[in-house]
Amino acid sequence: MKTPARVWIGFALIGLCLAALPFALAYAGTAWVRIANFAILYVLLALGLNIVVGFAGLLDLGYIAFYAVGAYVYALLASPHFNIHLPFWIILPIGALVAAFFGVLLGAPTLKLRGDYLAIVTLGFGEIIRIFLNNLSRPVNLTNGPQGITRIDPFSFGAFGFSGRDYLLGLELSGPIKYYYLLVAITLLVIVVNIRLQNSRIGRAWEAIREDEIAARAMGINTRNLKLLAFAMGASFGGLAGGMFSAMQGFISPESFVLVESIMVVAMVVLGGMGNIWGVILGAVLLSFVPEILRWTVEPLQQALFGRLLVEPEVIRMLIFGLALVLVMLFRPAGLLPSAVRKRELTS
């Protein structure tokens, strides 16, 4: 079947917008380019969690643990902490594999759990990983405890580094702008992998498990292996995002991987539409950008109206965040862009 010309035109326009976005944001300040980079990181996390929650129907409240594993793998192999400085294209796959191993480690003992019970176990797993990272400084200093790991190597290709400034065709390429293009490239690759997974036999098997695990097992689907595969695949994307976060920040500590971060990623998947790749991306972008817009506008607005700060931006952010989730659950329970299957389930 031939793809219509308007589809290719649409892709070209989206590509041009993505290419020009960092330079447009840079006019408002480098901070907004960094915000866009972290929004893309959340997109990666949400796409990974969507495999577990959206495709396979397994509620995971400890997903941020895999993010932490990937971040610490990169930090330990690219910092003066152990005086190891491996190239990032070697460390990122290692981090993804280690995170996948931890995903299987979490999935193996929880194969018979569903719903609230699975959520509680995964929540506990996420907290256990954070506590371990916080305490593995004695008797052997593996993680440097609550002080975290500093002076983490940025990405680099030979003499080309992602942390400094360069110029191309008269355009200034700052570190955040270079990281932006790399993040977009990796995100596009992850989206392609997700689309291929969703339309594959494995994706259809995950959907069968999500709808009725007993019926899926009766049809000959190996639910055990496929659930473990979902945990491993989702965790690997989290580990990949963690490595990117570690390189961009140059510093990590256990406080970056608290339970609230897991809840945020779950909310992105639920708000956007579980099981729909484009809905998940929309949810991640909204919940990443809107809080930052509030942070930059609420305080000046209160100062202009009342002459002083009455309500902290963080409080308003959480109020709006909670209200948005309540409204979505009331009026669009399948999410802003639900998958066709879930939409049929909730409307039939």
Side-chain angles (χ1 to χ4, degrees):
M1 183 177 178
K2 188 176 180 180
T3 305
R6 63 177 180 274
V7 174
W8 293 112
I9 294 173
F11 282 137
L13 291 174
I14 292 172
L16 287 173
C17 290
L18 289 175
L21 180 61
F23 297 102
L25 293 174
Y27 278 106
T30 306
W32 283 101
V33 184
R34 294 183 182 276
I35 290 168
N37 289 346
F38 281 104
I40 298 172
L41 279 180
Y42 277 116
V43 168
L44 285 173
L45 289 172
L47 287 171
L49 183 61
N50 187 51
I51 291 176
V52 182
V53 177
F55 292 175
L58 306 169
L59 184 55
D60 186 353
L61 292 182
Y63 186 72
I64 208 67
F66 309 122
Y67 188 46
V69 168
Y72 268 87
V73 167
Y74 185 90
L76 294 175
L77 297 179
S79 74
H81 186 68
F82 288 143
N83 203 26
I84 301 175
H85 300 276
L86 295 178
F88 80 91
W89 62 84
I90 293 178
I91 305 176
L92 285 183
I94 292 174
L97 288 173
V98 173
F101 169 76
F102 275 88
V104 173
L105 201 64
L106 169 63
T110 61
L111 288 173
K112 294 185 179 180
L113 300 178
R114 288 189 69 84
D116 300 340
Y117 301 102
L118 179 61
I120 292 170
V121 171
T122 55
L123 185 152
F125 175 80
E127 285 299 287
I128 287 170
I129 293 294
R130 185 184 64 81
I131 292 169
F132 263 102
L133 294 175
N134 212 29
N135 290 277
L136 284 178
S137 56
R138 298 177 183 176
V140 179
N141 187 7
L142 292 179
T143 64
N144 209 29
Q147 296 179 3
I149 300 176
T150 59
R151 294 185 294 164
I152 300 170
D153 299 341
F155 289 170
S156 62
F157 282 108
F160 179 79
F162 280 78
S163 59
R165 293 179 180 273
D166 288 292
Y167 291 88
L168 179 65
L169 302 176
L171 296 174
E172 181 183 345
L173 299 177
S174 63
I177 289 178
K178 287 184 280 187
Y179 273 117
Y180 168 86
Y181 288 117
L182 181 62
L183 282 166
V184 167
I186 292 176
T187 303
L188 290 175
L189 179 62
V190 170
I191 290 172
V192 170
V193 171
N194 270 261
I195 292 172
R196 297 290 293 176
L197 276 173
Q198 187 175 26
N199 297 326
S200 68
R201 292 179 61 187
I202 293 174
R204 291 193 293 272
W206 280 335
E207 185 178 317
I209 293 171
R210 182 189 70 202
E211 299 305 316
D212 192 328
E213 185 175 345
I214 296 174
R217 192 181 298 117
M219 293 298 293
I221 295 174
N222 190 330
T223 57
R224 172 184 175 276
N225 289 352
L226 283 167
K227 281 170 136 184
L228 290 177
L229 180 61
F231 274 112
M233 288 292 298
S236 66
F237 293 145
L240 182 65
M244 300 287 295
F245 169 76
S246 189
M248 288 167 53
Q249 287 287 90
F251 165 78
I252 58 169
S253 72
E255 295 307 311
S256 300
F257 311 104
V258 293
L259 175 62
V260 175
E261 293 294 320
S262 273
I263 302 300
M264 282 293 292
V265 180
V266 173
M268 290 170 183
V269 175
V270 174
L271 178 69
M274 288 189 294
N276 185 4
I277 294 170
W278 309 112
V280 168
I281 293 172
L282 175 64
V285 170
L286 285 177
L287 291 185
S288 300
F289 266 106
V290 172
E292 297 301 329
I293 294 172
L294 290 174
R295 193 192 309 277
W296 288 82
T297 57
V298 165
E299 186 173 348
L301 185 61
Q302 291 185 72
Q303 291 286 355
L305 292 176
F306 309 110
R308 61 192 180 94
L309 185 65
L310 297 177
V311 184
E312 292 290 335
E314 182 66 18
V315 175
I316 295 177
R317 181 177 79 89
M318 294 308 294
L319 284 171
I320 294 176
F321 173 65
L323 178 63
L325 287 179
V326 170
L327 293 176
V328 166
M329 291 301 100
L330 287 174
F331 299 108
R332 293 189 69 86
L336 296 175
L337 287 177
S339 66
V341 175
R342 289 187 61 81
K343 190 174 181 179
R344 285 198 301 269
E345 289 174 354
L346 293 169
T347 55
S348 59

